[in-house]
Amino acid sequence: MLDSFVFSLNATLPVFLVIVVGKILNKCGLFTKEFAFLTDKFVFKAALPVLLFKDISEMDFRQDFDVKFVLFCVSVSFVMFLGVWGLSYLFLKDKAAVGAFSQGAARGSAAILGIALATNIYGSSGYAPLMVLAAVPVFNVMSVIILELSRKNGNGRVNVASILKGIITNPIILGIIAGVPFSLFDISLPTFAAATVDSVAKTATPMALLSVGAAFSFGEAKKKLTPSLVASFVKLFALPLVFLPLAIAFGFRDSALVSIFILLGSPTTVTSYVMAKNMDNDGVLASNIVMLATLFSALSITLWVFVLKQLSLI
């Protein structure tokens, strides 16, 4: 129990503290709101696409490919996004918040935390890379669709051509698509190119987190506290409670079950804030959800890992 708690803190506390550092730098005048705006653009259009290209291209798509596991991850990803999106549209009074709320409540940091947690428990990444390959493209496509339909300046109209254009030209989608051939055909970049890609990719998460902190406003945050808490609860507790029993019933155990848990119950990824802000959605709500979900995930992950271990499922 103590080991699980310490691991959870080590996985989530640094993320939260980097956000705090961003706010401190903003207060010191070293990280202005204008610089945060430019940073968001850089992360969205360059660093994150390069990071996803790197992650996808380095996966071995054909090795240990489990069709049942992949289909389960893809199906659950679609269902939980559509379910959260539909319910939030029905119950949220502020329709302008639907996109940021839906994405924040459904989209976890599967790529980073998934591999780290699986490696910590089993000594290898196991099924985690396969989960990332199955779920992350769904996460990104669904996020783009939801955010396109929820733009503040959309006037409630559904423009199919605009949505399709937004998906096709979205830098994050392009990054994923570009990485697939490298994974499928086992293509390696030249050393100098790989080093360059790695350097740019490493800037994505810290720059995005610093930007979240710098742009964070306590005054604005108070107005969005209730939906932020609800989204965090859905992400960390409700989704695992609904879908983990289904995964168990399908026979998934050990590394596969841990990977599915991360898909469901990992804290909201900072990518959700970057995309929401850059796609004319509620950036304040998105940043709140990232902060609260990250803060509470140390406890939630510990609880779920403890329960799964007690039931001898992992």
Side-chain angles (χ1 to χ4, degrees):
M1 178 67 172
L2 181 60
D3 289 343
S4 297
F5 182 68
V6 170
F7 169 77
S8 299
L9 284 179
N10 287 336
T12 59
L13 191 58
V15 175
F16 185 77
L17 290 179
V18 174
I19 294 175
V20 173
V21 169
K23 188 61 183 177
I24 294 172
L25 292 175
N26 171 247
K27 288 293 186 181
C28 295
L30 297 175
F31 207 133
T32 64
K33 294 290 179 67
E34 293 75 17
F35 185 64
F37 174 79
L38 293 175
T39 299
D40 287 337
K41 291 290 185 184
F42 163 72
V43 172
F44 180 67
K45 294 186 176 182
L48 271 177
V50 170
L51 174 61
L52 288 169
F53 165 80
K54 178 177 179 292
D55 287 343
I56 296 297
S57 66
E58 291 179 351
M59 291 178 183
D60 190 339
F61 188 80
R62 293 170 295 182
Q63 184 178 0
D64 299 324
F65 189 81
D66 188 325
V67 175
K68 178 182 174 183
F69 177 80
V70 169
L71 290 177
F72 184 87
C73 290
V74 170
S75 301
V76 166
S77 297
F78 273 117
V79 171
M80 71 178 184
F81 262 92
L82 291 172
V84 171
W85 185 18
L87 291 173
S88 63
Y89 189 83
L90 288 175
F91 292 107
L92 272 180
K93 293 181 180 179
D94 182 8
K95 300 307 178 187
V98 168
F101 180 94
S102 302
Q103 190 191 197
R107 186 177 188 176
S109 54
I112 298 172
L113 191 58
I115 293 175
L117 183 58
T119 302
N120 182 72
I121 295 176
Y122 295 106
S124 67
S125 58
Y127 276 73
L130 196 58
M131 179 272 290
V132 171
L133 188 61
V136 168
V138 178
F139 282 11
N140 284 282
V141 170
M142 289 303 299
S143 293
V144 171
I145 292 173
I146 290 171
L147 293 173
E148 281 288 342
L149 287 171
S150 305
R151 283 183 181 272
K152 293 178 181 178
N153 61 2
N155 298 319
R157 298 175 182 175
V158 178
N159 188 325
V160 176
S162 176
I163 292 171
L164 290 175
K165 180 181 178 182
I167 294 172
I168 295 170
T169 61
N170 186 278
I172 291 175
I173 301 296
L174 293 176
I176 291 173
I177 293 173
V180 170
F182 287 82
S183 175
L184 278 175
F185 302 109
D186 195 22
I187 302 171
S188 298
L189 290 171
T191 302
F192 71 90
T196 303
V197 167
D198 186 58
S199 295
V200 176
K202 285 179 178 177
T203 68
T205 299
M207 292 301 289
L209 292 174
L210 288 170
S211 180
V212 169
F216 184 76
S217 168
F218 289 101
E220 289 293 323
K222 290 178 182 178
K223 302 175 185 177
K224 313 280 185 178
L225 184 59
T226 298
S228 302
L229 287 171
V230 173
S232 299
F233 175 80
V234 170
K235 185 72 201 75
L236 302 177
F237 294 100
L239 291 178
L241 191 62
V242 170
F243 291 105
L244 275 180
L246 186 62
I248 294 168
F250 269 81
F252 295 114
R253 299 291 186 273
D254 300 321
S255 176
L257 189 60
V258 168
S259 298
I260 291 169
F261 161 66
I262 291 300
L263 182 154
L264 300 168
S266 59
T268 305
T269 175
V270 70
T271 307
S272 66
Y273 160 75
V274 176
M275 289 185 68
K277 188 171 181 181
N278 281 275
M279 295 179 68
D280 197 29
N281 278 250
D282 194 332
V284 174
L285 176 59
S287 66
N288 278 15
I289 296 171
V290 170
M291 291 188 70
L292 290 177
T294 300
L295 179 62
F296 295 138
S297 65
L299 296 175
S300 66
I301 290 174
T302 301
L303 174 63
W304 284 113
V305 169
F306 177 74
V307 169
L308 294 175
K309 280 187 175 181
Q310 288 297 106
L311 295 175
S312 300
L313 296 170
I314 63 175

